[in-house]
Amino acid sequence: MNYFTDESGAVFAYDETQVAAGLGAGKTAMTPEEVEAHINPPKTAEQVREEWKSARSAAVEAIKVTTQAGNTFDGDEISQGRMARAVIALDAAAPGTTVNWVLADNSVIQATALELTEALALAGGAQAAIWVAE
């Protein structure tokens, strides 16, 4: 494909047959760099930021943390909220109370407030490391 511009800046694309027929006459041939910029325009600052935010969200969704006990917890934002609520409830319950907790591998444990607090702190730290723009 051959690309041309006219005096108004409009872009025209012609195949070899069309160029041979004279359709490019009176127009300026575009350089390979100009063609590339026309076909794949640079992203706007807003597009770059939105892509970064999307990647950041995916990274937060993928957070997994492992406690000292060797249990691996999901650490995404929803899981962090669930952990926080469970810690509050367990702290208000009788000492030694546990809650059934589904780990990242879908196995179930009896989680204590102490282990959930550890997992929550680890997940919050992992999210904080992801959250700040570089």
Side-chain angles (χ1 to χ4, degrees), residues 5-108:
T5 59
D6 65 11
E7 62 280 347
S8 72
V11 175
F12 300 85
Y14 301 123
D15 62 25
E16 294 300 329
T17 304
Q18 292 171 316
V19 171
L23 289 178
K27 297 178 180 71
T28 304
M30 293 172 67
T31 66
E33 294 80 15
E34 291 170 327
V35 171
E36 178 63 26
H38 176 73
I39 293 172
N40 298 305
K43 294 176 182 170
T44 66
E46 181 63 24
Q47 288 171 321
V48 170
R49 174 125 176 98
E50 288 303 314
E51 286 178 1
W52 178 81
K53 286 170 60 177
S54 179
R56 178 183 67 185
S57 292
V60 169
E61 282 296 312
I63 293 173
K64 305 269 188 265
V65 296
T66 302
T67 61
Q68 290 181 359
N71 293 317
T72 301
F73 290 75
D74 289 315
D76 58 273
E77 288 184 294
I78 292 173
S79 295
Q80 288 179 49
R82 290 182 58 239
M83 285 185 254
R85 289 189 305 274
V87 166
I88 291 167
L90 288 172
D91 282 345
T97 302
T98 62
V99 63
N100 284 337
W101 199 267
V102 179
L103 296 173
D105 67 359
N106 290 322
S107 62
V108 178

